[in-house]
């Protein structure tokens, strides 16, 4: 049976709960975290964000993802980040317009208009810096106004039953 994701809202000034999950997942080498900006009710009433559910365009609500490294046959995959968006620009270009960059040492493997950015992270990484970069980048890339609050959706990998906040690997 698939484990339901843990979902909670947070303020960017209070990152400890999200960081705790990132550290647990990194240590256990499993799982991922989706981050969604909260939007006002007025934004939800506009015909943009949910019209995408019924066509092939990417969603207008920008989605950021951090994925833990994972042990595979040929070794360990690196941690990665992604920013999915619907803008007709590359994330690098949008960041450049705001005087921001992709951190040195991150290996960009995709940066496509209307789809998003995917980057592999170096082995030694500060999770707080990664999380702050994801939140800042999502705000820059988002085509709709956000409230400043966030939703974290914590997904423990289904490949390992019983894995959870303690990082325990049960079978």
């Amino acid at each position: 049976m698939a484990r339901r994701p843990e979902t909670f809202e947070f303020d960017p000034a209070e990152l400890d709960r999200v960081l705790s999950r990132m550290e647990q997942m990194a240590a256990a080498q499993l799982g991922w975290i989706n981050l969604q900006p909260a939007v006002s009710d007025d934004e939800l009433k506009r015909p943009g964000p949910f019209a995408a559910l019924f066509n092939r365009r990417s969603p207008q609500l920008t989605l950021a993802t951090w994925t833990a490294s994972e042990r595979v046959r040929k070794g360990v995959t690196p941690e990665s980040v992604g920013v999915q968006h619907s803008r007709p620009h590359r994330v690098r270009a949008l960041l450049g317009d705001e005087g921001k960059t992709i951190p040195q040492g991150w290996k960009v493997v995709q940066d496509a208009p209307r789809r998003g950015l995917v980057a592999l992270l170096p082995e030694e990484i500060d999770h707080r810096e990664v999380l702050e970069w994801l939140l800042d980048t999502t705000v820059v890339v988002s085509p709709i106004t956000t409230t400043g609050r966030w939703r974290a959706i914590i997904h423990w990998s289904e490949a390992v039953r019983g894995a959870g906040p303690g990082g325990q690997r049960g079978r």
Side-chain angles (χ1 to χ4, degrees):
M1 183 172 166
R3 182 185 175 109
R4 292 182 61 130
E6 173 188 6
T7 303
F8 57 88
E9 286 196 16
F10 67 98
D11 184 276
E14 302 166 355
L15 299 179
D16 290 344
R17 188 170 177 190
V18 180
L19 286 169
S20 172
R21 297 303 184 272
M22 286 177 83
E23 295 294 336
Q24 292 165 354
M25 292 174 146
Q29 294 183 320
L30 56 94
W32 69 96
I33 299 173
N34 290 334
L35 302 163
Q36 296 176 317
V39 295
S40 70
D41 290 339
D42 291 340
E43 285 290 346
L44 291 176
K45 291 175 187 172
R46 287 180 43 201
F50 297 102
L53 293 173
F54 303 105
N55 64 35
R56 293 177 188 236
R57 289 184 10 190
S58 298
Q60 286 192 8
L61 183 60
T62 304
L63 175 70
T65 302
W66 168 85
T67 304
S69 62
E70 183 180 8
R71 196 168 293 285
V72 295
R73 276 187 221 196
K74 295 182 180 182
V76 177
T77 63
E79 292 181 21
S80 64
V81 293
V83 180
Q84 181 185 15
H85 66 89
S86 62
R87 305 274 302 269
H89 308 286
R90 296 180 190 278
V91 170
R92 281 185 184 171
L94 294 167
L95 289 173
D97 291 346
E98 296 292 322
K100 299 179 183 286
T101 62
I102 295 168
Q104 187 172 1
W106 293 21
K107 181 182 178 186
V108 176
V109 294
Q110 173 183 297
D111 188 6
R114 300 196 191 277
R115 287 191 312 207
L117 176 127
V118 176
L120 304 178
L121 304 178
E123 203 169 302
E124 296 297 319
I125 193 78
D126 180 327
H127 288 120
R128 179 175 293 277
E129 288 178 19
V130 171
L131 182 55
E132 289 172 349
W133 184 88
L134 282 171
L135 299 182
D136 290 344
T137 298
T138 301
V139 170
V140 168
V141 171
S142 180
I144 59 177
T145 305
T146 62
T147 67
R149 291 202 46 86
W150 290 82
R151 176 178 296 123
I153 304 139
I154 313 296
H155 296 270
W156 290 91
S157 297
E158 294 177 21
V160 181
R161 288 193 182 138
Q168 301 298 315
R169 293 179 179 225
R171 293 225 183 254

